[in-house]
Amino acid sequence: MRKIYLALFLVVTACLVVLILFLATRNNQPGITQVKKDGKVITIKWFRVGLPEFQDNDPILTAIQTKTGIKLKFINAPWDGWLDKINLLITTGEEVDLVMLPYDAVPYQAWAEEGLIIDWAKYVTKSKHPYLYSLIHSERGRDFWVGGKAVLIPQITAAGTWGLMIRKDWLDRLKLPVPKTITEFRETLRAFRDRDPDGNFKNDTAGLYAGFEEGPGGVNLIMVSPFMHAYGGIVGPHLYLQDNKEFYYEPEISDSQREAYRQLRQMYREGLINQDAFRVTQKQAKDKFLSGTVGMTMYDNSPFFIMQEMNDKKARVIQIAPPIGPGGKRGFRGAPRQSWLGAVIPKSCRNPQKAVDIFEFMASEEGRRLVRLGVKGVHYHQKGERIAFNPQIFYKWYGTHEFPASWGLTYSGIDFINTIKYPDFEDALKRPVYWKTGDPTLESYGEFAMFNREFVTTSPVEINKIPGISSLTSQVSTALSNWRAKFLLDHDIDIDAVWDNYVNDIKRSGVAEIMRLLNASTGR
């Protein structure tokens, strides 16, 4: 009997040793920083632009602090006056540890040369910071080295950050299928406008609602880009690499673009698109969709989040693929290779190593789950791979469709970039991880982006980093805005008659010089 007890004792002891070793090592995964035994909490001040404030006892920030021993304190600047604020912050040495900023609008190269921002590579190691190490040593990361120093971390973005939304309950009430071809789309828009889809016996519904206004005189057609693409057009300049030899910058001047403008004008004049589109911003158009009187729009978030904000709580919204055109073409707007946001560490940072560590944690799988999904058991529950959100808790804390932490930190639109499994950054970026809800009406943002990226053309290079090019692209955008308004609003204009004038005007605005700078900077 003693031998049996001894054997049982040895087995239990062995199990306890294994368990202790497991618990001791599982919290030392690459990219995860841990609370020190002394429990000391370090505060990292993180500057962001145009984002909401956190509540003091925010559960996500509390979870991050518990896990890392780092307390995040966010300093948020409004879009109005942000540039002056950042310039003062960097040049005067105001105490801040991380700064997220639109890098194409600031002289970060000059800041680096003057020693005003810190070299990330000095504090990044391959074993402890797999995401940052992979990124800064990748081709795109090298674009932001100055004088042999990695001075800026670009925020990588998903391509499919805009999608086409439709009222599925309206389709069901009118006994209409989900439209697929451009002809079916136009028929659906007419039905939404004319057949009382909300059943209130009033003539108060619209088909497609879009906002074209973009600042003084600006005209942005992103919200009708699926219809332009169906007819062979594009919205916004696209970059192409021809025969692997030369970059070509094509700003809406192809022959098929002419037909796309003809068809879009026809849709606009028929009333399938709201007639006040030129006086409506993108945000106002999205708000109109939320009001419940619009059947279709472009939106930059998933149906789950949209339905939480709809005035009509019985509304059912789904995302759909863009229409297939007569020639089989379809798509959304083109997307840049990288985001326009980046992170720098100013010389005023009190603890650069901890700033790097918390950035790495936010890019890790655990950190991304926190900023994308929230706290498990609080914001969502999970069974297998299926995620079920808790909208009541979600809106109690944030009152919005998106966690304040999920935008403007590390990377955007992608749930997780696994640089541990795929150390080559470009390889990892081709294999993004998205967490699924298992319900097409309750998509996570990652599912939404994943669905849309199939229909997006991604530019082969980021051009905003090239000196002198941003002012030229602004000139092209201004010229395009002027002509877009003429094509859609001027009833007397003959698109065919003025097309050559249009193409020449766009080319004169800086297209040739953009291509020269682009190809020279890339060695082509």
mmCIF file with all atom_site columns, all heavy atoms in Angstrom, residues 364-366 368-370 372-373 382 385 387 415-416 433-437 443-447:
data_model
loop_
_atom_site.group_PDB
_atom_site.id
_atom_site.type_symbol
_atom_site.label_atom_id
_atom_site.label_alt_id
_atom_site.label_comp_id
_atom_site.label_asym_id
_atom_site.label_entity_id
_atom_site.label_seq_id
_atom_site.pdbx_PDB_ins_code
_atom_site.Cartn_x
_atom_site.Cartn_y
_atom_site.Cartn_z
_atom_site.occupancy
_atom_site.B_iso_or_equiv
_atom_site.pdbx_formal_charge
_atom_site.auth_seq_id
_atom_site.auth_comp_id
_atom_site.auth_asym_id
_atom_site.auth_atom_id
_atom_site.pdbx_PDB_model_num
ATOM 1   N N   . SER A 1 364 ? 0.829   42.694 -30.722 1.00 0.00 ? 364 SER A N   1
ATOM 2   C CA  . SER A 1 364 ? 0.805   41.257 -30.493 1.00 0.00 ? 364 SER A CA  1
ATOM 3   C C   . SER A 1 364 ? -0.627  40.723 -30.598 1.00 0.00 ? 364 SER A C   1
ATOM 4   O O   . SER A 1 364 ? -1.595  41.496 -30.612 1.00 0.00 ? 364 SER A O   1
ATOM 5   C CB  . SER A 1 364 ? 1.360   40.933 -29.104 1.00 0.00 ? 364 SER A CB  1
ATOM 6   O OG  . SER A 1 364 ? 0.441   41.360 -28.093 1.00 0.00 ? 364 SER A OG  1
ATOM 7   N N   . GLU A 1 365 ? -0.767  39.408 -30.641 1.00 0.00 ? 365 GLU A N   1
ATOM 8   C CA  . GLU A 1 365 ? -2.109  38.826 -30.747 1.00 0.00 ? 365 GLU A CA  1
ATOM 9   C C   . GLU A 1 365 ? -2.965  39.202 -29.539 1.00 0.00 ? 365 GLU A C   1
ATOM 10  O O   . GLU A 1 365 ? -4.137  39.557 -29.677 1.00 0.00 ? 365 GLU A O   1
ATOM 11  C CB  . GLU A 1 365 ? -2.034  37.309 -30.887 1.00 0.00 ? 365 GLU A CB  1
ATOM 12  C CG  . GLU A 1 365 ? -3.408  36.675 -31.051 1.00 0.00 ? 365 GLU A CG  1
ATOM 13  C CD  . GLU A 1 365 ? -3.356  35.199 -31.386 1.00 0.00 ? 365 GLU A CD  1
ATOM 14  O OE1 . GLU A 1 365 ? -2.267  34.599 -31.288 1.00 0.00 ? 365 GLU A OE1 1
ATOM 15  O OE2 . GLU A 1 365 ? -4.403  34.651 -31.763 1.00 0.00 ? 365 GLU A OE2 1
ATOM 16  N N   . GLU A 1 366 ? -2.372  39.131 -28.343 1.00 0.00 ? 366 GLU A N   1
ATOM 17  C CA  . GLU A 1 366 ? -3.130  39.465 -27.142 1.00 0.00 ? 366 GLU A CA  1
ATOM 18  C C   . GLU A 1 366 ? -3.522  40.940 -27.125 1.00 0.00 ? 366 GLU A C   1
ATOM 19  O O   . GLU A 1 366 ? -4.657  41.292 -26.793 1.00 0.00 ? 366 GLU A O   1
ATOM 20  C CB  . GLU A 1 366 ? -2.308  39.133 -25.896 1.00 0.00 ? 366 GLU A CB  1
ATOM 21  C CG  . GLU A 1 366 ? -3.063  39.343 -24.610 1.00 0.00 ? 366 GLU A CG  1
ATOM 22  C CD  . GLU A 1 366 ? -2.292  38.858 -23.399 1.00 0.00 ? 366 GLU A CD  1
ATOM 23  O OE1 . GLU A 1 366 ? -1.077  38.573 -23.542 1.00 0.00 ? 366 GLU A OE1 1
ATOM 24  O OE2 . GLU A 1 366 ? -2.892  38.776 -22.316 1.00 0.00 ? 366 GLU A OE2 1
ATOM 25  N N   . ARG A 1 368 ? -3.830  42.937 -29.724 1.00 0.00 ? 368 ARG A N   1
ATOM 26  C CA  . ARG A 1 368 ? -4.791  43.218 -30.790 1.00 0.00 ? 368 ARG A CA  1
ATOM 27  C C   . ARG A 1 368 ? -6.194  42.750 -30.410 1.00 0.00 ? 368 ARG A C   1
ATOM 28  O O   . ARG A 1 368 ? -7.182  43.390 -30.751 1.00 0.00 ? 368 ARG A O   1
ATOM 29  C CB  . ARG A 1 368 ? -4.349  42.543 -32.090 1.00 0.00 ? 368 ARG A CB  1
ATOM 30  C CG  . ARG A 1 368 ? -3.091  43.131 -32.695 1.00 0.00 ? 368 ARG A CG  1
ATOM 31  C CD  . ARG A 1 368 ? -3.242  44.586 -33.059 1.00 0.00 ? 368 ARG A CD  1
ATOM 32  N NE  . ARG A 1 368 ? -4.186  44.783 -34.144 1.00 0.00 ? 368 ARG A NE  1
ATOM 33  C CZ  . ARG A 1 368 ? -4.548  45.971 -34.626 1.00 0.00 ? 368 ARG A CZ  1
ATOM 34  N NH1 . ARG A 1 368 ? -4.073  47.074 -34.095 1.00 0.00 ? 368 ARG A NH1 1
ATOM 35  N NH2 . ARG A 1 368 ? -5.413  46.066 -35.604 1.00 0.00 ? 368 ARG A NH2 1
ATOM 36  N N   . ARG A 1 369 ? -6.292  41.633 -29.718 1.00 0.00 ? 369 ARG A N   1
ATOM 37  C CA  . ARG A 1 369 ? -7.615  41.192 -29.266 1.00 0.00 ? 369 ARG A CA  1
ATOM 38  C C   . ARG A 1 369 ? -8.234  42.225 -28.330 1.00 0.00 ? 369 ARG A C   1
ATOM 39  O O   . ARG A 1 369 ? -9.442  42.471 -28.370 1.00 0.00 ? 369 ARG A O   1
ATOM 40  C CB  . ARG A 1 369 ? -7.515  39.833 -28.573 1.00 0.00 ? 369 ARG A CB  1
ATOM 41  C CG  . ARG A 1 369 ? -7.449  38.661 -29.544 1.00 0.00 ? 369 ARG A CG  1
ATOM 42  C CD  . ARG A 1 369 ? -7.522  37.335 -28.820 1.00 0.00 ? 369 ARG A CD  1
ATOM 43  N NE  . ARG A 1 369 ? -7.596  36.224 -29.769 1.00 0.00 ? 369 ARG A NE  1
ATOM 44  C CZ  . ARG A 1 369 ? -8.711  35.744 -30.284 1.00 0.00 ? 369 ARG A CZ  1
ATOM 45  N NH1 . ARG A 1 369 ? -9.875  36.283 -29.951 1.00 0.00 ? 369 ARG A NH1 1
ATOM 46  N NH2 . ARG A 1 369 ? -8.694  34.741 -31.139 1.00 0.00 ? 369 ARG A NH2 1
ATOM 47  N N   . LEU A 1 370 ? -7.419  42.826 -27.492 1.00 0.00 ? 370 LEU A N   1
ATOM 48  C CA  . LEU A 1 370 ? -7.934  43.836 -26.580 1.00 0.00 ? 370 LEU A CA  1
ATOM 49  C C   . LEU A 1 370 ? -8.425  45.068 -27.330 1.00 0.00 ? 370 LEU A C   1
ATOM 50  O O   . LEU A 1 370 ? -9.522  45.572 -27.072 1.00 0.00 ? 370 LEU A O   1
ATOM 51  C CB  . LEU A 1 370 ? -6.858  44.237 -25.568 1.00 0.00 ? 370 LEU A CB  1
ATOM 52  C CG  . LEU A 1 370 ? -6.683  43.320 -24.359 1.00 0.00 ? 370 LEU A CG  1
ATOM 53  C CD1 . LEU A 1 370 ? -5.447  43.724 -23.563 1.00 0.00 ? 370 LEU A CD1 1
ATOM 54  C CD2 . LEU A 1 370 ? -7.918  43.369 -23.478 1.00 0.00 ? 370 LEU A CD2 1
ATOM 55  N N   . ARG A 1 372 ? -9.133  45.388 -30.564 1.00 0.00 ? 372 ARG A N   1
ATOM 56  C CA  . ARG A 1 372 ? -10.093 45.139 -31.630 1.00 0.00 ? 372 ARG A CA  1
ATOM 57  C C   . ARG A 1 372 ? -11.423 44.593 -31.110 1.00 0.00 ? 372 ARG A C   1
ATOM 58  O O   . ARG A 1 372 ? -12.482 44.929 -31.628 1.00 0.00 ? 372 ARG A O   1
ATOM 59  C CB  . ARG A 1 372 ? -9.534  44.135 -32.643 1.00 0.00 ? 372 ARG A CB  1
ATOM 60  C CG  . ARG A 1 372 ? -8.255  44.561 -33.303 1.00 0.00 ? 372 ARG A CG  1
ATOM 61  C CD  . ARG A 1 372 ? -8.419  45.809 -34.122 1.00 0.00 ? 372 ARG A CD  1
ATOM 62  N NE  . ARG A 1 372 ? -9.128  45.538 -35.365 1.00 0.00 ? 372 ARG A NE  1
ATOM 63  C CZ  . ARG A 1 372 ? -9.513  46.490 -36.212 1.00 0.00 ? 372 ARG A CZ  1
ATOM 64  N NH1 . ARG A 1 372 ? -9.302  47.746 -35.937 1.00 0.00 ? 372 ARG A NH1 1
ATOM 65  N NH2 . ARG A 1 372 ? -10.136 46.180 -37.317 1.00 0.00 ? 372 ARG A NH2 1
ATOM 66  N N   . LEU A 1 373 ? -11.362 43.717 -30.083 1.00 0.00 ? 373 LEU A N   1
ATOM 67  C CA  . LEU A 1 373 ? -12.567 43.047 -29.610 1.00 0.00 ? 373 LEU A CA  1
ATOM 68  C C   . LEU A 1 373 ? -12.992 43.497 -28.221 1.00 0.00 ? 373 LEU A C   1
ATOM 69  O O   . LEU A 1 373 ? -14.166 43.403 -27.862 1.00 0.00 ? 373 LEU A O   1
ATOM 70  C CB  . LEU A 1 373 ? -12.353 41.529 -29.595 1.00 0.00 ? 373 LEU A CB  1
ATOM 71  C CG  . LEU A 1 373 ? -11.953 40.883 -30.925 1.00 0.00 ? 373 LEU A CG  1
ATOM 72  C CD1 . LEU A 1 373 ? -11.686 39.393 -30.713 1.00 0.00 ? 373 LEU A CD1 1
ATOM 73  C CD2 . LEU A 1 373 ? -13.015 41.096 -31.980 1.00 0.00 ? 373 LEU A CD2 1
ATOM 74  N N   . GLN A 1 382 ? -16.762 34.006 -26.390 1.00 0.00 ? 382 GLN A N   1
ATOM 75  C CA  . GLN A 1 382 ? -16.250 33.207 -27.489 1.00 0.00 ? 382 GLN A CA  1
ATOM 76  C C   . GLN A 1 382 ? -16.478 31.725 -27.230 1.00 0.00 ? 382 GLN A C   1
ATOM 77  O O   . GLN A 1 382 ? -16.258 31.229 -26.123 1.00 0.00 ? 382 GLN A O   1
ATOM 78  C CB  . GLN A 1 382 ? -14.745 33.461 -27.685 1.00 0.00 ? 382 GLN A CB  1
ATOM 79  C CG  . GLN A 1 382 ? -14.175 32.776 -28.909 1.00 0.00 ? 382 GLN A CG  1
ATOM 80  C CD  . GLN A 1 382 ? -12.791 33.308 -29.266 1.00 0.00 ? 382 GLN A CD  1
ATOM 81  O OE1 . GLN A 1 382 ? -12.279 34.214 -28.631 1.00 0.00 ? 382 GLN A OE1 1
ATOM 82  N NE2 . GLN A 1 382 ? -12.207 32.743 -30.303 1.00 0.00 ? 382 GLN A NE2 1
ATOM 83  N N   . GLU A 1 385 ? -14.323 29.223 -32.496 1.00 0.00 ? 385 GLU A N   1
ATOM 84  C CA  . GLU A 1 385 ? -13.869 30.390 -33.232 1.00 0.00 ? 385 GLU A CA  1
ATOM 85  C C   . GLU A 1 385 ? -14.937 31.480 -33.304 1.00 0.00 ? 385 GLU A C   1
ATOM 86  O O   . GLU A 1 385 ? -14.675 32.584 -33.769 1.00 0.00 ? 385 GLU A O   1
ATOM 87  C CB  . GLU A 1 385 ? -13.458 29.997 -34.661 1.00 0.00 ? 385 GLU A CB  1
ATOM 88  C CG  . GLU A 1 385 ? -12.206 29.131 -34.720 1.00 0.00 ? 385 GLU A CG  1
ATOM 89  C CD  . GLU A 1 385 ? -11.734 28.945 -36.140 1.00 0.00 ? 385 GLU A CD  1
ATOM 90  O OE1 . GLU A 1 385 ? -12.447 29.417 -37.061 1.00 0.00 ? 385 GLU A OE1 1
ATOM 91  O OE2 . GLU A 1 385 ? -10.670 28.336 -36.339 1.00 0.00 ? 385 GLU A OE2 1
ATOM 92  N N   . ILE A 1 387 ? -17.302 34.421 -32.220 1.00 0.00 ? 387 ILE A N   1
ATOM 93  C CA  . ILE A 1 387 ? -17.277 35.538 -31.277 1.00 0.00 ? 387 ILE A CA  1
ATOM 94  C C   . ILE A 1 387 ? -18.662 36.166 -31.222 1.00 0.00 ? 387 ILE A C   1
ATOM 95  O O   . ILE A 1 387 ? -19.271 36.447 -32.256 1.00 0.00 ? 387 ILE A O   1
ATOM 96  C CB  . ILE A 1 387 ? -16.249 36.594 -31.720 1.00 0.00 ? 387 ILE A CB  1
ATOM 97  C CG1 . ILE A 1 387 ? -14.831 35.998 -31.645 1.00 0.00 ? 387 ILE A CG1 1
ATOM 98  C CG2 . ILE A 1 387 ? -16.338 37.847 -30.857 1.00 0.00 ? 387 ILE A CG2 1
ATOM 99  C CD1 . ILE A 1 387 ? -13.801 36.836 -32.353 1.00 0.00 ? 387 ILE A CD1 1
ATOM 100 N N   . ASP A 1 415 ? -6.997  42.442 -38.066 1.00 0.00 ? 415 ASP A N   1
ATOM 101 C CA  . ASP A 1 415 ? -7.068  42.013 -36.673 1.00 0.00 ? 415 ASP A CA  1
ATOM 102 C C   . ASP A 1 415 ? -5.691  41.676 -36.113 1.00 0.00 ? 415 ASP A C   1
ATOM 103 O O   . ASP A 1 415 ? -5.330  42.096 -35.024 1.00 0.00 ? 415 ASP A O   1
ATOM 104 C CB  . ASP A 1 415 ? -8.006  40.814 -36.544 1.00 0.00 ? 415 ASP A CB  1
ATOM 105 C CG  . ASP A 1 415 ? -9.473  41.226 -36.682 1.00 0.00 ? 415 ASP A CG  1
ATOM 106 O OD1 . ASP A 1 415 ? -9.754  42.430 -36.587 1.00 0.00 ? 415 ASP A OD1 1
ATOM 107 O OD2 . ASP A 1 415 ? -10.322 40.350 -36.892 1.00 0.00 ? 415 ASP A OD2 1
ATOM 108 N N   . PHE A 1 416 ? -4.909  40.904 -36.862 1.00 0.00 ? 416 PHE A N   1
ATOM 109 C CA  . PHE A 1 416 ? -3.605  40.499 -36.328 1.00 0.00 ? 416 PHE A CA  1
ATOM 110 C C   . PHE A 1 416 ? -2.642  40.165 -37.456 1.00 0.00 ? 416 PHE A C   1
ATOM 111 O O   . PHE A 1 416 ? -2.987  39.434 -38.380 1.00 0.00 ? 416 PHE A O   1
ATOM 112 C CB  . PHE A 1 416 ? -3.771  39.296 -35.393 1.00 0.00 ? 416 PHE A CB  1
ATOM 113 C CG  . PHE A 1 416 ? -2.481  38.735 -34.860 1.00 0.00 ? 416 PHE A CG  1
ATOM 114 C CD1 . PHE A 1 416 ? -1.522  39.561 -34.293 1.00 0.00 ? 416 PHE A CD1 1
ATOM 115 C CD2 . PHE A 1 416 ? -2.223  37.371 -34.915 1.00 0.00 ? 416 PHE A CD2 1
ATOM 116 C CE1 . PHE A 1 416 ? -0.326  39.042 -33.795 1.00 0.00 ? 416 PHE A CE1 1
ATOM 117 C CE2 . PHE A 1 416 ? -1.045  36.837 -34.415 1.00 0.00 ? 416 PHE A CE2 1
ATOM 118 C CZ  . PHE A 1 416 ? -0.102  37.684 -33.861 1.00 0.00 ? 416 PHE A CZ  1
ATOM 119 N N   . VAL A 1 433 ? -4.624  37.664 -40.052 1.00 0.00 ? 433 VAL A N   1
ATOM 120 C CA  . VAL A 1 433 ? -5.570  36.896 -39.245 1.00 0.00 ? 433 VAL A CA  1
ATOM 121 C C   . VAL A 1 433 ? -6.789  37.762 -38.968 1.00 0.00 ? 433 VAL A C   1
ATOM 122 O O   . VAL A 1 433 ? -6.655  38.928 -38.590 1.00 0.00 ? 433 VAL A O   1
ATOM 123 C CB  . VAL A 1 433 ? -4.926  36.466 -37.911 1.00 0.00 ? 433 VAL A CB  1
ATOM 124 C CG1 . VAL A 1 433 ? -5.946  35.742 -37.033 1.00 0.00 ? 433 VAL A CG1 1
ATOM 125 C CG2 . VAL A 1 433 ? -3.709  35.585 -38.177 1.00 0.00 ? 433 VAL A CG2 1
ATOM 126 N N   . TYR A 1 434 ? -7.990  37.183 -39.188 1.00 0.00 ? 434 TYR A N   1
ATOM 127 C CA  . TYR A 1 434 ? -9.229  37.884 -38.875 1.00 0.00 ? 434 TYR A CA  1
ATOM 128 C C   . TYR A 1 434 ? -10.074 37.010 -37.960 1.00 0.00 ? 434 TYR A C   1
ATOM 129 O O   . TYR A 1 434 ? -10.228 35.815 -38.198 1.00 0.00 ? 434 TYR A O   1
ATOM 130 C CB  . TYR A 1 434 ? -10.012 38.213 -40.154 1.00 0.00 ? 434 TYR A CB  1
ATOM 131 C CG  . TYR A 1 434 ? -9.347  39.274 -40.997 1.00 0.00 ? 434 TYR A CG  1
ATOM 132 C CD1 . TYR A 1 434 ? -8.587  38.937 -42.109 1.00 0.00 ? 434 TYR A CD1 1
ATOM 133 C CD2 . TYR A 1 434 ? -9.481  40.622 -40.675 1.00 0.00 ? 434 TYR A CD2 1
ATOM 134 C CE1 . TYR A 1 434 ? -7.969  39.908 -42.878 1.00 0.00 ? 434 TYR A CE1 1
ATOM 135 C CE2 . TYR A 1 434 ? -8.868  41.598 -41.438 1.00 0.00 ? 434 TYR A CE2 1
ATOM 136 C CZ  . TYR A 1 434 ? -8.116  41.234 -42.532 1.00 0.00 ? 434 TYR A CZ  1
ATOM 137 O OH  . TYR A 1 434 ? -7.504  42.208 -43.283 1.00 0.00 ? 434 TYR A OH  1
ATOM 138 N N   . TRP A 1 435 ? -10.592 37.617 -36.912 1.00 0.00 ? 435 TRP A N   1
ATOM 139 C CA  . TRP A 1 435 ? -11.422 36.877 -35.958 1.00 0.00 ? 435 TRP A CA  1
ATOM 140 C C   . TRP A 1 435 ? -12.877 36.941 -36.397 1.00 0.00 ? 435 TRP A C   1
ATOM 141 O O   . TRP A 1 435 ? -13.415 38.013 -36.647 1.00 0.00 ? 435 TRP A O   1
ATOM 142 C CB  . TRP A 1 435 ? -11.235 37.469 -34.559 1.00 0.00 ? 435 TRP A CB  1
ATOM 143 C CG  . TRP A 1 435 ? -9.813  37.325 -34.123 1.00 0.00 ? 435 TRP A CG  1
ATOM 144 C CD1 . TRP A 1 435 ? -9.080  36.172 -34.118 1.00 0.00 ? 435 TRP A CD1 1
ATOM 145 C CD2 . TRP A 1 435 ? -8.935  38.354 -33.676 1.00 0.00 ? 435 TRP A CD2 1
ATOM 146 N NE1 . TRP A 1 435 ? -7.799  36.420 -33.687 1.00 0.00 ? 435 TRP A NE1 1
ATOM 147 C CE2 . TRP A 1 435 ? -7.680  37.752 -33.398 1.00 0.00 ? 435 TRP A CE2 1
ATOM 148 C CE3 . TRP A 1 435 ? -9.078  39.723 -33.454 1.00 0.00 ? 435 TRP A CE3 1
ATOM 149 C CZ2 . TRP A 1 435 ? -6.585  38.484 -32.927 1.00 0.00 ? 435 TRP A CZ2 1
ATOM 150 C CZ3 . TRP A 1 435 ? -7.991  40.442 -32.988 1.00 0.00 ? 435 TRP A CZ3 1
ATOM 151 C CH2 . TRP A 1 435 ? -6.762  39.820 -32.727 1.00 0.00 ? 435 TRP A CH2 1
ATOM 152 N N   . LYS A 1 436 ? -13.503 35.781 -36.458 1.00 0.00 ? 436 LYS A N   1
ATOM 153 C CA  . LYS A 1 436 ? -14.824 35.678 -37.072 1.00 0.00 ? 436 LYS A CA  1
ATOM 154 C C   . LYS A 1 436 ? -15.938 35.522 -36.039 1.00 0.00 ? 436 LYS A C   1
ATOM 155 O O   . LYS A 1 436 ? -15.766 34.895 -35.007 1.00 0.00 ? 436 LYS A O   1
ATOM 156 C CB  . LYS A 1 436 ? -14.852 34.496 -38.041 1.00 0.00 ? 436 LYS A CB  1
ATOM 157 C CG  . LYS A 1 436 ? -13.858 34.634 -39.183 1.00 0.00 ? 436 LYS A CG  1
ATOM 158 C CD  . LYS A 1 436 ? -13.940 33.458 -40.125 1.00 0.00 ? 436 LYS A CD  1
ATOM 159 C CE  . LYS A 1 436 ? -12.964 33.617 -41.293 1.00 0.00 ? 436 LYS A CE  1
ATOM 160 N NZ  . LYS A 1 436 ? -13.050 32.484 -42.242 1.00 0.00 ? 436 LYS A NZ  1
ATOM 161 N N   . THR A 1 437 ? -17.096 36.076 -36.379 1.00 0.00 ? 437 THR A N   1
ATOM 162 C CA  . THR A 1 437 ? -18.261 35.945 -35.513 1.00 0.00 ? 437 THR A CA  1
ATOM 163 C C   . THR A 1 437 ? -19.128 34.763 -35.918 1.00 0.00 ? 437 THR A C   1
ATOM 164 O O   . THR A 1 437 ? -19.921 34.281 -35.120 1.00 0.00 ? 437 THR A O   1
ATOM 165 C CB  . THR A 1 437 ? -19.138 37.213 -35.587 1.00 0.00 ? 437 THR A CB  1
ATOM 166 O OG1 . THR A 1 437 ? -19.634 37.357 -36.925 1.00 0.00 ? 437 THR A OG1 1
ATOM 167 C CG2 . THR A 1 437 ? -18.342 38.446 -35.209 1.00 0.00 ? 437 THR A CG2 1
ATOM 168 N N   . GLU A 1 443 ? -20.547 40.929 -38.241 1.00 0.00 ? 443 GLU A N   1
ATOM 169 C CA  . GLU A 1 443 ? -19.133 40.838 -38.556 1.00 0.00 ? 443 GLU A CA  1
ATOM 170 C C   . GLU A 1 443 ? -18.284 41.660 -37.600 1.00 0.00 ? 443 GLU A C   1
ATOM 171 O O   . GLU A 1 443 ? -18.680 42.724 -37.155 1.00 0.00 ? 443 GLU A O   1
ATOM 172 C CB  . GLU A 1 443 ? -18.845 41.351 -39.985 1.00 0.00 ? 443 GLU A CB  1
ATOM 173 C CG  . GLU A 1 443 ? -19.376 40.478 -41.085 1.00 0.00 ? 443 GLU A CG  1
ATOM 174 C CD  . GLU A 1 443 ? -20.712 40.974 -41.581 1.00 0.00 ? 443 GLU A CD  1
ATOM 175 O OE1 . GLU A 1 443 ? -21.381 41.681 -40.816 1.00 0.00 ? 443 GLU A OE1 1
ATOM 176 O OE2 . GLU A 1 443 ? -21.082 40.657 -42.710 1.00 0.00 ? 443 GLU A OE2 1
ATOM 177 N N   . SER A 1 444 ? -17.101 41.155 -37.307 1.00 0.00 ? 444 SER A N   1
ATOM 178 C CA  . SER A 1 444 ? -16.088 41.986 -36.683 1.00 0.00 ? 444 SER A CA  1
ATOM 179 C C   . SER A 1 444 ? -15.582 42.923 -37.776 1.00 0.00 ? 444 SER A C   1
ATOM 180 O O   . SER A 1 444 ? -15.814 42.703 -38.972 1.00 0.00 ? 444 SER A O   1
ATOM 181 C CB  . SER A 1 444 ? -14.943 41.133 -36.151 1.00 0.00 ? 444 SER A CB  1
ATOM 182 O OG  . SER A 1 444 ? -14.232 40.541 -37.225 1.00 0.00 ? 444 SER A OG  1
ATOM 183 N N   . TYR A 1 445 ? -14.864 43.960 -37.374 1.00 0.00 ? 445 TYR A N   1
ATOM 184 C CA  . TYR A 1 445 ? -14.327 44.873 -38.385 1.00 0.00 ? 445 TYR A CA  1
ATOM 185 C C   . TYR A 1 445 ? -13.368 44.129 -39.314 1.00 0.00 ? 445 TYR A C   1
ATOM 186 O O   . TYR A 1 445 ? -13.303 44.403 -40.509 1.00 0.00 ? 445 TYR A O   1
ATOM 187 C CB  . TYR A 1 445 ? -13.602 46.040 -37.703 1.00 0.00 ? 445 TYR A CB  1
ATOM 188 C CG  . TYR A 1 445 ? -13.179 47.120 -38.667 1.00 0.00 ? 445 TYR A CG  1
ATOM 189 C CD1 . TYR A 1 445 ? -14.066 48.135 -39.014 1.00 0.00 ? 445 TYR A CD1 1
ATOM 190 C CD2 . TYR A 1 445 ? -11.921 47.121 -39.245 1.00 0.00 ? 445 TYR A CD2 1
ATOM 191 C CE1 . TYR A 1 445 ? -13.698 49.121 -39.912 1.00 0.00 ? 445 TYR A CE1 1
ATOM 192 C CE2 . TYR A 1 445 ? -11.543 48.100 -40.136 1.00 0.00 ? 445 TYR A CE2 1
ATOM 193 C CZ  . TYR A 1 445 ? -12.429 49.109 -40.467 1.00 0.00 ? 445 TYR A CZ  1
ATOM 194 O OH  . TYR A 1 445 ? -12.055 50.074 -41.359 1.00 0.00 ? 445 TYR A OH  1
ATOM 195 N N   . GLY A 1 446 ? -12.641 43.162 -38.770 1.00 0.00 ? 446 GLY A N   1
ATOM 196 C CA  . GLY A 1 446 ? -11.706 42.403 -39.594 1.00 0.00 ? 446 GLY A CA  1
ATOM 197 C C   . GLY A 1 446 ? -12.408 41.619 -40.687 1.00 0.00 ? 446 GLY A C   1
ATOM 198 O O   . GLY A 1 446 ? -11.953 41.583 -41.831 1.00 0.00 ? 446 GLY A O   1
ATOM 199 N N   . GLU A 1 447 ? -13.530 40.982 -40.357 1.00 0.00 ? 447 GLU A N   1
ATOM 200 C CA  . GLU A 1 447 ? -14.295 40.257 -41.375 1.00 0.00 ? 447 GLU A CA  1
ATOM 201 C C   . GLU A 1 447 ? -14.779 41.204 -42.464 1.00 0.00 ? 447 GLU A C   1
ATOM 202 O O   . GLU A 1 447 ? -14.756 40.883 -43.655 1.00 0.00 ? 447 GLU A O   1
ATOM 203 C CB  . GLU A 1 447 ? -15.502 39.572 -40.729 1.00 0.00 ? 447 GLU A CB  1
ATOM 204 C CG  . GLU A 1 447 ? -15.168 38.329 -39.931 1.00 0.00 ? 447 GLU A CG  1
ATOM 205 C CD  . GLU A 1 447 ? -16.419 37.695 -39.370 1.00 0.00 ? 447 GLU A CD  1
ATOM 206 O OE1 . GLU A 1 447 ? -16.906 38.185 -38.341 1.00 0.00 ? 447 GLU A OE1 1
ATOM 207 O OE2 . GLU A 1 447 ? -16.915 36.724 -39.966 1.00 0.00 ? 447 GLU A OE2 1
#
